[in-house]
Each structure stands twice: as structure tokens, then as C-alpha cells.
Amino acid sequence: MAQLPPGIRFITSFSRDQWYRAFIFSLTFFLYASFHLSRKPISIVKGELHKHCAVSHEAELNSFKENAAQIQPVKKPSNISQCGWEPFDKNNYKQLLGALDYSFLCAYAVGMYLSGIIGERLPIRYYLTVGMLASGLFTAMFGLGYFYNIHNLWFYIMAQIANGLVQTTGWPSVVTCIGNWFGKGRRGLIMGVWNSHTSVGNILGSLIAAYWVSTCWGLSFVMPGVIIAVMGIVCFLFLIEHPKDVSCSCTPSSVSQYFFYFDFCFLIHMFILIVLEMRYSVCHFCAMWSMLLNSSAVVTGEGRHGTSAISFLGALRIPGVIEFSLCLLFAKLVSYTFLFWLPLYITNVEHLDAKRAGDLSTLFDVGGIFGGILAGLISDRLEKRASTCGMMLLLAAPTLYMFSAVSKMGLEATVVMLLISGALVNGPYALITTAVSADLGTHKSLKGNARALSTVTAIIDGTGSVGAALGPLLAGLISPSGWNNVFYMLMVADACALLVSLKIL
């Protein structure tokens, strides 16, 4: 008998359970990366919605006065402005752009509290699919304002509010799914690697949006909207909510083996998803929606696996939920301020165009990937999640001060500080939203009832989203007085995150 090829021996060396877990790890990774991919364009397009135009506008005005007698009046197209896109071409553009961020994040924060409770009572696959299709619709809707020449501020605000509400379906769903498939062994490291989807999505969203921002910024929203909608169809076709659904064991037998083949699986499954997702039509959504309506009438207070879903107040009584929620509020305030305002800050400080500023801002997310993995690894070794968060928060505040000072010294210094700041800012945020949420959702006080995971995750991330809404809003209000004041605000927020975590420390 001929010896099997090395590739086949590699494939057969892992059990069926291990391949299923690798597949769910990869699938949920790309599903939530598409959520962040669709959130990033607004920060890239800000530099195009408003341009610095004082000099060019003055020159145009003088030229008009000199030639007024010779030139006949010509009606100026409503979509052409030396200062950007109306209504964001006015002097109060920072407040208007901040209103867009605030609209999305407030809707996200409010919706998140409800999303976890609803998610506990509906099949995750259907719930997540509907949310991703709706997110694609409303993300693209913002970009359609460019093609249809819309200059009404409320159109863009309503698109942001609607998108914020439907995007709350994502996080509780994917965390519940990944929590079902992976036990507590090395959960910090596994979820630290998995949580890099946030930064990967931000990077891809930045690159996609930056590609069209200077030529046709509407496509900077339409293309991410199409991507997340397509991934919603992939979710409906392939997501497996619980190991029991495919007769797999609920506890991984050999966690230490996973990281040997994760990179290999990423490449294989990314290719499979791209190829297969194009083979199915959107008509499956009709059947899915019908199944969702039928299942929602059946699945109520009783869980899908025979246990009752926990109440909102019951989830708050779990030790550590309130403390970590408040800690995340301030940590996410800092992270989302960078997410929505960093490209504009780089444009103002480094005097770069919108595309180059967007490309450079991805380095913050590259640092965030390493920060999330490092936080998970350290917390597993120490077996102390709170201490790991506290240590990184303690280092983050002085690093932000250094960033504000060093970034004015040149491009090279900015690159270094973007990487370091990204690691320290996103490390605690990543750890709390993944490993900590999963730990609390399966706390021993629940006596084996894992049905609280989605609700606990939604409470923690919902409270964090309140901070995410406040951060960009405060940045928009404070930045006219100087970017240094924005960094002081971020340092105070990091200090507050450390203070509220003292009890659990």
C-alpha cells in the first residue's frame, strides 16, 4: 500500500471535533470582522466630507470679483463645494461629524441591552443572518447619499441610527457561539487570537474605504455593505451554534493542538467561504425569514437546550458583571474615539490626504491585534483577568500622553506610537469583551446554566457602548479647542477605567 501524501496525513491527524472547532473559529472570526469592516468607512470619509479650503475659497472669491463683469452667472451644482460635501462643509463640521458617530453609537448602546435578551430566545444563526443583511442595507444606504446627491443631515443620521440598532445582533451571537464551542482552558489566549477580528475588520474597512474615498466616497460605504450582506448569507448556510447540533463533544479534548493548525485552517476556510458564498442566491433569505418567524413563536423563555434563559437582573447579580461593565465603558470610550477620529487627527497633524491618513491609521489596529493576544496570554498564565486589564490600563494613560507629544515630531514617531498605543488601548477592551464575558456568562453561580452567556455579553458590551458613544461625541466637542485636550480626556477615561476595576483587582 502506498504511503499517504503529507497533506492527507496532516488532515487525518486531527479529529472530527477539532476540525469542526477550527471551522467555527474561522467562520465567526470572518463574520464579526465584516461587522467592523462596515463600521470603519465613516472615519475614513470624514476627511473628504470636509476639506480645509480657506485659501482656495478666498482665491476663488477674488477671481470671481475681478471677472464678475465678463462672466455670466452660472448655477453651481449643489454637490460641488470647495470645502467638501454639504452639509459638512460648514465651520461646525466637527460637531456634525460627531453627531453621526453619536447617532450610531447611541443606537448601538441602547439596542445592545435588548439584543442579548432577544438573542437568548431565538436561534443564533437566523438572528445573526437577519442582522448582517440589514447591516449591509443600511451601510450601503449611507453611501447612496453620494449617488443620489442627498445633502440632508437627517438622512445620514437616520442611516447611522438604523445601522447601529441592527449591528447589535452581531456581538452577543458570535460570543455565545464561540463560548459554546470552546471551554475555559486557555480561553484567554484562544479569544485573544479570535478577537483580532476587530482589528482585521478595521484594517480591511480602512483599506477598502480609502481606495474610493478621493474619487467616489459613496463606494466606500456601498462595497462594505455588500460584503457584510454576503457574509450574512454565508452565516445562514454554515454557522453551527452548538457542538451538540453535530454530535461533537462540548469540551475540547486537546486545546494545545489548536494553534498548530489555525493558520492553515484560516487560509483553507477563507478560500472555501469565498468560493461557496457565490453559489447561492439571496432567495434563501425568504426561507430563512419564514423559519425565523416560526421559531420565534416556539422559542420563548425556555432555552434551546432545555434550560431557562436568565433575566436581565439575574445577569447583573453575577459577581463581576457590573464592575467589568463599568471598566469597559471607559476602555471602549478610548478605543472608539481612536476608531472614529484617528484618520482626521492624522490628516490635521501630518497634513496628509484622506487616503494616506486612512492607510496610516490601520497601524493602530495592527497594534491592537498584538495587544489582544498578549492580554489573553498573560491572563491565562496569571489566571487573573482583572489584574491583566489593570496593568495595561496603567500603562495606557502615559502612553497616550507620549503619543500626543511624539506624533507632532514626524511620521516615523507617529508609526511607532500608533503600534504601542493600539496594543495598550485595545488589549483590555479585547479581554473584557471576550474571555471575561465568556467566563462570567458561564460563572459557577449559574450552576451549569450556559443560557446566560448572550445576556451577560450584551450587558457588558452594551455598557461599554455607552462609553463608545460618549468618546467620539466628546472628541467632536473638544477638538476645536485643540487636539491636546482630546488626549487629556482620553487619559482621564483610562484612569477612571482603572479606578472602577479596583474592587475586582
Side-chain angles (χ1 to χ4, degrees), residues 193-254:
V193 175
W194 178 74
N195 192 67
S196 62
H197 55 52
T198 298
S199 298
V200 170
N202 289 341
I203 292 170
L204 293 176
S206 298
L207 296 177
I208 292 171
Y211 184 81
W212 281 290
V213 64
S214 299
T215 56
C216 179
W217 64 259
L219 288 176
S220 296
F221 290 91
V222 172
M223 293 309 297
V226 170
I227 291 173
I228 190 173
V230 170
M231 291 304 296
I233 298 173
V234 173
C235 171
F236 173 70
L237 295 173
F238 295 105
L239 185 66
I240 306 169
E241 177 183 343
H242 200 280
K244 293 179 180 178
D245 297 337
V246 287
S247 302
C248 287
S249 62
C250 294
T251 304
S253 58
S254 180

Side-chain angles (χ1 to χ4, degrees), residues 62-188:
N62 292 335
S63 176
F64 175 79
K65 288 179 179 179
E66 292 174 2
N67 300 285
Q70 292 81 14
I71 300 177
Q72 294 181 355
V74 178
K75 186 177 180 180
K76 185 178 179 181
S78 60
N79 65 331
I80 296 178
S81 172
Q82 293 293 329
C83 299
W85 185 266
E86 188 183 352
F88 306 104
D89 56 347
K90 307 299 188 297
N91 290 333
N92 64 337
Y93 72 98
K94 289 184 178 179
Q95 287 79 6
L96 297 181
L97 294 174
L100 293 181
D101 299 338
Y102 191 65
S103 301
F104 174 88
L105 293 167
C106 275
Y108 187 85
V110 172
M112 184 60 74
Y113 289 109
L114 300 174
S115 182
I117 298 173
I118 297 172
E120 291 284 8
R121 293 158 173 81
L122 290 176
I124 287 177
R125 182 164 62 95
Y126 304 144
Y127 186 53
L128 186 55
T129 299
V130 172
M132 297 184 76
L133 291 173
S135 296
L137 171 65
F138 292 120
T139 300
M141 177 180 164
F142 194 103
L144 292 178
Y146 173 88
F147 297 103
Y148 287 95
N149 199 25
I150 298 174
H151 299 279
N152 189 318
L153 177 64
W154 282 104
F155 170 82
Y156 298 103
I157 288 179
M158 293 308 298
Q160 289 288 83
I161 291 175
N163 200 15
L165 288 173
V166 297
Q167 289 231 346
T168 60
T169 60
W171 189 243
S173 300
V174 294
V175 171
T176 299
C177 187
I178 203 74
N180 290 338
W181 278 90
F182 292 90
K184 292 188 177 181
R186 297 192 182 181
R187 177 177 275 170

Side-chain angles (χ1 to χ4, degrees), residues 465-487:
S465 297
V466 174
L470 289 175
L473 174 67
L474 292 175
L477 296 175
I478 297 173
S479 56
S481 65
W483 286 105
N484 284 339
N485 293 330
V486 175
F487 279 94

Side-chain angles (χ1 to χ4, degrees), residues 455-498:
T455 301
V456 169
T457 301
I459 290 174
I460 293 177
D461 199 50
T463 306
S465 297
V466 174
L470 289 175
L473 174 67
L474 292 175
L477 296 175
I478 297 173
S479 56
S481 65
W483 286 105
N484 284 339
N485 293 330
V486 175
F487 279 94
Y488 293 145
M489 179 267 291
L490 298 178
M491 286 184 276
V492 170
D494 264 328
C496 291
L498 183 61

